[in-house]
């Protein structure tokens, strides 16, 4: 981590990101401005709202704990639509917000990045966009704390072929960028490892039934069925699966379906199903979980820790850079995460904020991961949990640590 | 002299189309024989195509009726389907789960994720009363909702053309859907337990029948037949069609048009509510988008069959359902819908009025 | 009494009626919102129409400014907001105008608008996306090839759609277009065309991933502002002017670029608007209306309606393609989800708000939709959430239960938490109210006669004769304001025809000469 | 039967055309069935140039259907239609109209949401502005406007003649029944046709006005126009037509001068009833 | 039975009828004639509330019905044959006729037979959709439907238009017979000579106003009326 080769600060030749100029901030002088752009309605509404909550949490935490720093958070709803997403991002820029946590769906994140963040030189940090395409975007303004799906597909293939020894697999995936990308990477890695893919069947969301599609995918009797879906289609899909097909057939799902209540909704113990999901594996995961629970009365869900981390890093960068300015924050993003110095996290965020305001060197260690951006703004390494459903419960059975492609 | 055998070009096209379908069928047979296509795969596609087709058809009949009689394309129809599903199943949960779990989560169909159909043990065998009661409530509640909407919205614009009504119905669709979201939330839930099944030796490709599916299929078919009878052989049915033709004339002929409209909504919405309820019984899951996502398919079925024709709606539904599933034999799952729509467009070329257009079946 | 008298009496009656009718119209609700209507008769039509558009623009700008100030935006912020609204309104206006050509004028109920926009945008994207360095490679051709190609492709696909659909009437036509739009979207979305090789070059639609292509929002303005389209080479003549001024005002370069992009779009809208107004106010426009009203009757008058329908459909689709290009050009990225059927409904709603069949209405509708319905609610939400802090129960039930304990806050909190969804309810209700109380759109039932002349001001030669002859008989009430207005307005019609030889036998005047010769085909 | 196939280049056709053609419209063995209903049954007749010909027959005799077949609204099952010596069978309605064979509809088809004046202006043939580019391009639009003024003048004249000029700016859908008939007729006249097929043009028209219109029709025939008129008012037919064709159950029952028709036993029995 | 007094009515903002007075006594036979667009059909529609009411009064069987909505006015004691759009095009001929007797519990078979006897082609074509019938046949269907009940008042708007001559005289005979049976008749006709010759009284409407009112024969005899409205 913090490898000299990889990291290059924006427009600088220094090897150590911590060397970045750090004027700091006098908390009495100004508010730190932070936008949150998440889908609170639309297709990802259910996912986005708690993420937005988590993204707002650092600011709330500061207020609750009596920090002199005030963070002015403006929450915007991208409605899971690119048009609305762009408009809301433009609103944030218009209101002077130099950086924001968002967006969630890749087909919103990319247009927002291309059309707003990059040309306007405003930093965005997505807690939930996993599309490999985002790696291509300008790494100085587009960051993410969420891992790329390019990683998860590889992890899944490795778990399936090498650990579990399944040699043939069929992929049944949602026909959108998420499903297509994951399936593609999985198929490629699985075949590279020596496995055989018997079928690749895409499906449209929210159909009356998935029986025929499943039949199509399973007609060559693979050892494993790989499913990429969200609960909105996944519940139906598994209902159809258990209605017509072999209950014993191993099924592997992606993070989209790693959900506690799934077996209840499917009305099956789903003992044959396992899956992977990016782990909220940061050194401070528990501290965050406590904070979250205290504030919102429920335990955090998918990508919530990533949301907290994204906001926290931006707040620290903003304070340390000393200006509500996108370019300045961009310079600090790597400095506050992998530049060495005092470790900061959800548990001592108040302290970290003060250090940053003073322009001290800090190193943020997150709830979701260690948090360290590579030159593309992606996480340098992430961990995955391997889950199994058993008797209506979801259990993490394994963790693949610091996975690097 | 009248018996010329000349074909118009549309007819030629139709022949060509039928020939194309024939070729596909032959190809399926060939594949079955050669072994390219497993019998069980084929029968799954076929059966599922029929069931999907009936689902679409069942939901389409109510639309076809209100479409032809009230003279507008009701874009809130999908959300009436959803309304029926939510109200009916709420009733079923309240009755079937009494004493099992808290009122709050039953009332909102598990909006908070604290219970489940499994906990309630809700399926046809275990809770027949609750399920039947739900069915009745689904019909009644949907009728009430439809009548309320009619009174608040459509009644005020009786003389407006089809397009203002259509747009208003888009407004109704949005309002209705998000009222449902407001109460029930956005999450998808399993609504009933997995269906029990009956073992049998009637059908060659499968030895068990899914009871919920069976209930859906049987009720769908009988409802549609019943409705056809009602419209074809009763005075009310004729009056409905008369009103569809010319409302002013119906009025001066002494047909109580408002009562006919009422009856249309009662029958149409009742049927729609039941459709929503039964669809969920078969699918076993429910979401606030359930009806909306069906809407395009429903419209395709209604118009393919010919607006106002009950048989047409069923035929249209079956064609769409079958095409959507059977095409998997040849093409990838992300293009079956494309094939279904293209087939529909091709059919229009030789039947511009829809399959049963002009032939009044109801 | 002679039959002549009877006729005269009849005429004067009609005039009175017309006068009354126009009075009612002017005194009615329209004038309350749009005061320009009062002297509609006196001004040339285009001035009145321009007035409506300007008025709406000003109103929307004012609204946005006020809302912006309420949420604490600075001048720069408000300028950005106005620019965003203008962009959206212009983008909508372009499609809405095209749709009005299809549906408002010709009665072609096209609900596949999103599909044609997709074709345009994708046509452009595939051609101009860089061939290397992205996940979905394109051909890397310059924009001046890519944009016309997208437009032409959209027109071509329109041709493919309209040919089989020619014989299909309203509702059936609608479902065919919608199905085509879905076919287009699903095909683009599918893996089948996501990437393939053509003549040794990699390209494709990218499937669900979409395509990154050059950001039009900066590429096009750069061509306007800099030499060779490259900022490094310095500003060109035009750019120098603009950049100096904006530099002095302290406006950032990206904002200038966006503003230039928006301006170009607005210019496009103006061109298309002028084009369509001319189309509508011409014998060709008359054909369109004729097809809308009764195709068989129009055919029986010797009009090749099929050809006209094809032309109009293709033209409209091309404009939709253009709109798709400029719309997505702001993103530098297209993916299939940008073209879901709901987009088509938005466009319909915009058209209907303005009033279908009217080009002016189309633009007004686009402005109102983009400015008020699309951009407005988030402001309200922002203002509300800035003010209040409430508990947020998980379900309504919890809120209602708390109500039993005389605590309304949880329910209120739930409500506020649901505001995003409640907005859709409101949206629906607004639509319904609009349809009930203003079904012809904000501008009301507009008659825009299809003629290059100001038809509704044209006066029967007989009328002008009788007016001269017996103005007293008719009395004050019948020589209504509109009549005298039109006299001054349409110089020729009355005069021209009054030069007739007093011949009561109009058909005598050589029908063969006064009509264009049949033997000499005009096309 | 074999009469389905008529030779394209029928000798009689060409000679007649060469003769100076006194019979612009000829219909041969026209047949049309709807489902099981034989609406037109091998009808054969011709219409002389510059004449007014009556087409009469009981309700449902097939008169309107014959019009529909001639003008391309329906395609005949068999039989041929010649106009000015050319075979126009199965041509699209607008092609037929373009050739100068124009009809009116029994059940009127006004363009409801267009004004009466717009309805009228639509009728003119070969308008310059009907080409999209001319309608739109700045340079050439002048000629369109000029032409429009000419057309407008003629439209007004005709409206006056039919006494509906005071309705010029009303939407056609608001006209009274008779007024619609008048609009339909005047619109057809403005297409400047060679031959007009009028389907019950006088039904519902006030008798006084009817008289004036008939005068006009006579004037026009003097100038070479030809009329084929379906009408149930026997006074109109007998007093104004040079020849009368009687249809019955789809086929031509009789064909001759009014006097002969009035005396024809079969016609009296089938159609005129006790009236004459 | 039907008394129209000072009626003003029209469509939307447009006033068509001005101060119309008109009366039909029970078992009277009254005709309205006049130029096209005089407002004849509008009078009839106004009785059913199908126009915009603007003033005056309409009384039927001593019940004030002006300004009411059509639903409230409709009684089975008025039969009406409108001038345009007077059949249900997609219903079969038989169904069209049956609709005429909608308010009865059962279709009055004898009345139906009666109509079929009157217009035999309708019996033959009873299953054909009315919209595909010829113009005159549609007129028969419309007449037939109005005759399915024996109304107290029959409103006929140009019933002879489009009918073959034998049927025209037949139709007039039939109307006479209906009138003799005690049904009041209000008829609008352009076939004015025939109508005025048969009716009890006639009105001449011009430009939405009453112009003449007299015995049918008197009107027929009036030189000016003949010239201006009856075509000489
Ligand atoms: N729906 C309508 N909307 C507006 N104006 C109308 C409407 N219907 C009729 N009118 C106008 O009212 C006037 C009277 O029409 P009405 O139909 O009563 O005439 P009429 O006497 O029956 O004529 P005709 O003998 O031609 O049938 C006409 O000038 C007509 O233009
Ligand atoms: N589209 C159709 N479908 C079925 N039958 C039809 C259709 N059109 C016409 N007919 C039938 O064909 C026959 C001839 O009709 P047509 O309209 O030509 O009669 P017509 O001579 O014009 O009569 P009228 O004098 O009553 O107008 C009628 O019996 C009619 O019912
Ligand atoms: Mg006819
Ligand atoms: Mg009338």
């Amino acid at each position: 981590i913090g490898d000299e080769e990889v990291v290059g600060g924006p427009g600088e030749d220094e090897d150590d990101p911590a060397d970045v100029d750090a004027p700091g901030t006098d908390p009495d002088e100004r508010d730190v401005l932070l936008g949150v752009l998440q889908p609170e309605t639309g297709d990802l509404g259910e996912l986005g709202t708690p993420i937005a909550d988590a993204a707002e949490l650092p600011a709330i935490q500061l207020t609750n704990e009596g920090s002199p720093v005030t963070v002015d958070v403006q929450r915007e709803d991208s409605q899971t639509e690119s048009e609305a997403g762009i408009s809301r991002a433009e609103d944030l820029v218009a209101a002077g917000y130099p950086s924001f946590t968002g967006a969630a769906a890749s087909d919103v994140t990319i247009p927002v990045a291309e059309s707003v963040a990059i040309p306007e030189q405003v930093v965005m940090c997505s807690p939930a966009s996993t599309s490999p395409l985002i790696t291509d975007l300008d790494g100085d303004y587009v960051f993410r704390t969420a891992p790329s799906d390019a990683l998860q597909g590889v992890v899944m293939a490795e778990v399936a072929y090498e650990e579990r020894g399944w040699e043939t697999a069929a992929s049944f995936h949602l026909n959108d960028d998420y499903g297509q990308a994951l399936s593609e990477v999985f198929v490629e890695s699985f075949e590279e490892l020596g496995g055989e893919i018997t079928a690749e069947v895409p499906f449209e969301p929210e159909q009356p039934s998935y029986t025929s599609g499943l039949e199509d995918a399973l007609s060559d009797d693979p050892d494993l069925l790989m499913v990429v879906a969200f609960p909105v289609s996944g519940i139906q899909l598994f209902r159809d699966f258990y209605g017509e097909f072999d209950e014993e057939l191993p099924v592997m799902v992606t993070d989209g379906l790693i959900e506690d209540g799934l077996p209840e909704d499917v009305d099956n113990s789903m003992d044959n199903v396992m899956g992977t999901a990016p782990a909220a594996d940061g050194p401070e995961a528990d501290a965050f979980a406590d904070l979250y629970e205290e504030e919102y009365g429920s335990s955090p869900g998918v990508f919530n820790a990533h949301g907290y981390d994204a906001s926290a890093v931006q707040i620290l960068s903003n304070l340390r850079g000393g200006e509500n300015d996108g370019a300045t924050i961009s310079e600090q993003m790597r400095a506050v995460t992998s530049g060495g110095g005092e470790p900061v996290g959800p548990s001592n965020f108040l302290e970290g904020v003060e250090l940053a305001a003073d322009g001290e060197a800090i190193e943020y260690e997150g709830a979701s991961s260690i948090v360290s951006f590579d030159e593309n703004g992606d996480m340098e390494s992430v961990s995955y949990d391997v889950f199994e459903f058993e008797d209506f419960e979801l259990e993490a059975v394994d963790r693949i640590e610091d996975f690097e492609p | 002299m009248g018996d010329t055998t000349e074909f118009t070009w549309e007819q030629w096209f139709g022949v060509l189309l039928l020939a194309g379908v024939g070729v596909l069928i032959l190809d399926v047979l060939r594949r079955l024989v050669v072994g390219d296509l497993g019998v069980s795969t084929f029968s799954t596609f076929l059966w599922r195509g029929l069931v999907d087709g009936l689902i679409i058809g069942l939901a389409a009949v109510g639309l076809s009726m209100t479409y032809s009689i009230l003279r507008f394309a009701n874009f809130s129809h999908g959300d009436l389907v959803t309304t029926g599903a939510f109200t009916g199943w709420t009733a079923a949960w309240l009755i079937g789960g009494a004493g099992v779990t808290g009122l709050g989560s039953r009332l909102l169909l598990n909006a908070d994720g604290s219970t489940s159909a499994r906990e309630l043990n809700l399926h046809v065998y275990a809770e027949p009363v609750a399920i039947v009661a739900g069915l009745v409530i689904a019909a009644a509640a949907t009728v009430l909702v439809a009548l309320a909407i009619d009174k608040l919205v459509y009644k005020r614009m009786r003389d407006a053309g089809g397009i203002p009504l259509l747009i208003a119905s888009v407004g109704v669709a949005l309002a209705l859907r998000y009222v449902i979201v407001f109460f029930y939330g956005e999450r998808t839930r399993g609504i009933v337990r997995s269906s029990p099944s009956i073992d049998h030796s009637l059908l060659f490709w499968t030895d068990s029948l899914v009871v919920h599916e069976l209930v859906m299929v049987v009720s769908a078919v009988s409802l549609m037949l019943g409705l056809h009878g009602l419209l074809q052989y009763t005075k009310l049915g004729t009056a409905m069609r008369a009103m569809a033709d010319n409302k002013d004339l119906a009025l001066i002929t002494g047909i109580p048009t408002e009562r006919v409209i009422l009856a249309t909504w009662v029958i149409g919405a009742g049927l729609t509510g039941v459709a929503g309820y039964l669809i969920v019984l078969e699918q076993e899951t429910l979401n606030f988008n359930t009806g909306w996502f069906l809407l395009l398919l429903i419209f395709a079925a209604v118009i393919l069959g010919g607006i106002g024709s009950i048989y047409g709606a069923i035929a249209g539904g079956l064609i769409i359902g079958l095409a959507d599933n059977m095409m998997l034999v040849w093409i990838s799952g992300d293009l079956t819908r494309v094939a279904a729509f293209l087939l529909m467009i091709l059919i229009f070329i030789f039947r511009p009025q829809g399959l049963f257009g002009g032939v009044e079946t109801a | 009494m002679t039959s002549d008298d009877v006729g005269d009496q009849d005429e004067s009656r009609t005039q009175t009626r017309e006068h009354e009718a126009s009075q009612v119209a002017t005194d009615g609700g329209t004038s309350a919102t749009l005061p320009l209507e009062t002297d509609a008769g006196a001004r040339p039509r285009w001035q009145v129409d321009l007035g409506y558009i300007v008025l709406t623009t000003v109103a929307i700008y004012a609204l946005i400014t006020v809302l912006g100030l309420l949420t604490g935006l600075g001048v720069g912020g408000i300028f950005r907001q106005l620019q965003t609204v203008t962009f959206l309104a212009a983008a909508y206006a372009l499609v809405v105008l095209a749709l009005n050509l299809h549906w408002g004028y010709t009665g072609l109920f096209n609900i596949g608008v999103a599909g044609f926009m997709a074709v345009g945008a994708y046509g452009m994207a595939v051609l101009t996306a860089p061939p290397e360095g992205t996940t979905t490679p394109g051909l890397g051709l310059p924009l001046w090839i890519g944009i016309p190609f997208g437009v032409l492709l959209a027109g071509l696909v329109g041709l493919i759609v309209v040919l089989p659909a020619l014989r299909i009437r309203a509702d059936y036509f609608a479902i065919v277009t919608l199905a085509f739009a879905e076919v287009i979207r699903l095909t683009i979305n599918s893996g089948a065309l996501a990437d393939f090789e053509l003549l040794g070059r990699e390209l494709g639609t990218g499937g669900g991933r979409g395509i990154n292509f050059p950001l039009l929002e900066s590429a096009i303005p750069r061509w306007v502002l800099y030499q060779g389209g490259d900022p490094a080479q310095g500003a060109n003549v035009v750019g120098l002017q603009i950049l100096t001024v904006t530099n002095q005002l302290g406006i950032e370069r990206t904002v200038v670029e966006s503003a230039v992009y928006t301006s170009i779009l607005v210019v496009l809208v103006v061109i298309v608007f002028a084009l369509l107004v001319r189309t509508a106010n011409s014998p060709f426009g008359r054909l369109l209306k004729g097809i809308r009203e009764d195709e068989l009757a129009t055919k029986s008058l010797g009009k090749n309606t099929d050809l006209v329908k094809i032309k109009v459909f293709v033209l409209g689709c091309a404009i939709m393609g253009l709109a798709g290009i400029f719309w997505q050009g702001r993103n530098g990225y297209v993916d299939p989800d940008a073209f879901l059927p709901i987009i088509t409904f938005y466009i319909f709603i915009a058209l209907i708000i303005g009033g279908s069949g009217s080009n002016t209405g189309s633009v007004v509708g686009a402005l109102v939709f983009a400015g008020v319905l699309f951009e407005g609610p988030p402001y309200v939400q922002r203002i509300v959430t800035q003010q209040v802090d409430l508990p947020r129960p998980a379900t309504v039930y919890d809120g209602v239960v708390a109500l039993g304990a005389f605590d309304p806050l949880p329910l209120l909190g739930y409500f506020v938490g649901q505001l995003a969804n409640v907005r859709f309810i409101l949206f629906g209700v607004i639509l319904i109210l609009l349809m009930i109380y203003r079904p012809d759109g904000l501008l009301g039932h507009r008659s825009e006669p299809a003629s290059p002349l100001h038809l509704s001001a044209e006066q029967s030669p007989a009328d002008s004769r009788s007016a001269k002859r017996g103005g007293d008989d008719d009395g004050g009430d019948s020589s209504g304001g509109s009549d005298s207005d039109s006299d001054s307005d349409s110089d020729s019609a009355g005069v021209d025809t009054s030069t007739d030889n007093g011949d009561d036998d109009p058909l005598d005047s050589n029908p063969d000469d006064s009509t264009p010769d049949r033997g000499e085909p005009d096309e | 039967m074999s009469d389905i196939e008529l030779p394209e280049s029928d000798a009689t056709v060409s000679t007649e055309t060469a003769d100076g053609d006194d019979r612009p419209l000829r219909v041969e063995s026209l047949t049309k069935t709807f489902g099981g209903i034989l609406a037109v049954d091998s009808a054969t007749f011709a219409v002389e140039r510059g004449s007014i010909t009556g087409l009469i027959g009981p309700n449902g005799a097939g008169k309107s259907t014959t019009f529909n077949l001639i003008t391309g609204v329906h395609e005949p099952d068999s039989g041929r239609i010649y106009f000015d010596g050319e075979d126009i069978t199965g041509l699209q309605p607008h092609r037929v109209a373009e050739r100068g064979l124009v009809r009116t509809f029994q059940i009127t088809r006004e363009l409801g949401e267009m004004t009466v004046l717009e309805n009228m202006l639509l009728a003119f043939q070969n308008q310059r502005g009907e080409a999209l580019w001319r309608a739109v391009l700045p340079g050439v639009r002048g000629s369109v406007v000029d032409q429009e003024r000419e057309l407008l003048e003629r439209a007004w004249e005709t409206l006056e003649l039919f006494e509906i000029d005071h309705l010029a700016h009303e939407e056609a859908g608001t006209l009274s029944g008779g007024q619609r008939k008048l609009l339909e007729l005047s619109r057809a006249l403005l297409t400047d046709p060679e031959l007009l097929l009028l389907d019950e043009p006088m039904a519902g028209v006030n008798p006084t006005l009817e008289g004036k219109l008939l005068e006009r029709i006579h004037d026009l025939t003097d100038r070479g126009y030809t009329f084929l008129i379906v009408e149930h008012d026997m006074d109109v037919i007998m007093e104004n037509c040079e020849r009368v064709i009687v249809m019955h159950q789809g086929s031509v029952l009789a064909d001759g001068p009014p006097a002969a028709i009035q005396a024809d036993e079969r016609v009296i029995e089938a159609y005129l009833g006790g009236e004459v | 039975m039907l008394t129209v007094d000072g009626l003003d009515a029209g469509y939307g903002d447009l006033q068509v009828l001005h101060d119309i007075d008109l009366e039909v006594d029970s078992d009277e036979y009254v005709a309205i004639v006049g130029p096209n667009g005089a407002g004849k059909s509008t009078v009839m529609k106004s009785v059913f509330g199908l126009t915009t009411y603007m003033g005056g009064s309409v009384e039927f069987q001593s019940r004030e019905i002006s300004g009411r909505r059509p639903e409230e006015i409709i009684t089975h004691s008025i039969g009406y044959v409108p001038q345009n759009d007077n059949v249900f095009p997609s219903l079969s001929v038989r169904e069209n006729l049956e609709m005429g007797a909608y308010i009865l519990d059962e279709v009055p078979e004898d009345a139906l037979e009666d109509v079929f006897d009157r217009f035999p082609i309708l019996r033959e074509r009873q299953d054909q959709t009315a919209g595909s019938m010829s113009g005159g046949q549609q007129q028969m269907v419309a007449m037939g439907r109005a005759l399915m009940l024996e109304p107290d008042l029959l409103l006929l708007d140009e019933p002879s238009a489009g009918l073959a001559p034998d049927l025209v005289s037949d139709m007039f005979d039939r109307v006479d017979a209906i009138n003799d049976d005690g049904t009041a008749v209000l008829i609008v006709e352009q076939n004015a000579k025939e109508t005025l010759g048969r009716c009890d009284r006639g009105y001449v409407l011009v430009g939405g106003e009453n112009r003449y009112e007299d015995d049918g024969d008197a009107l027929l005899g009036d030189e000016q009326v003949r010239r201006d409205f009856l075509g000489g």
Side-chain angles (χ1 to χ4, degrees), chain A residues 42 45-46 175 202 205-209 211-213 215-216 219 232 235-236 239 244 264-267 392, chain B residues 41 44-45 48 52 116 118 186-190 192-194 283-285 287 289 293 325 328 332 334 337:
Chain A
E46 272 179 87
N175 191 31
E206 299 196 48
Q207 292 307 299
S209 74
T211 309
S212 291
E215 175 70 41
D216 196 23
S219 53
V232 68
I235 296 174
Q236 177 74 50
R239 289 261 182 175
E244 301 277 334
E264 287 290 347
D265 277 322
V266 173
D267 189 24
F392 293 91
Chain B
T41 304
T44 304
F45 290 174
R48 200 54 233 181
D52 281 2
S116 68
R118 188 167 74 97
E186 288 171 300
R187 69 182 292 269
T188 307
R189 57 270 261 169
V192 280
R193 296 219 56 176
S194 304
Q283 293 188 348
E284 304 172 352
T285 66
N287 170 275
N289 265 329
F293 268 70
N325 285 279
L328 279 170
S332 142
D334 52 358
R337 189 59 55 80

Side-chain angles (χ1 to χ4, degrees), chain C residues 157 380 431 492 521:
Chain C
V157 171
V380 178
L431 211 56
S492 47

Side-chain angles (χ1 to χ4, degrees), chain A residues 386-397:
Chain A
V386 178
F387 290 93
E388 274 178 17
F389 286 97
E390 204 173 325
D391 196 21
F392 293 91
E393 299 292 332
L394 184 63
E395 258 175 73
V397 293

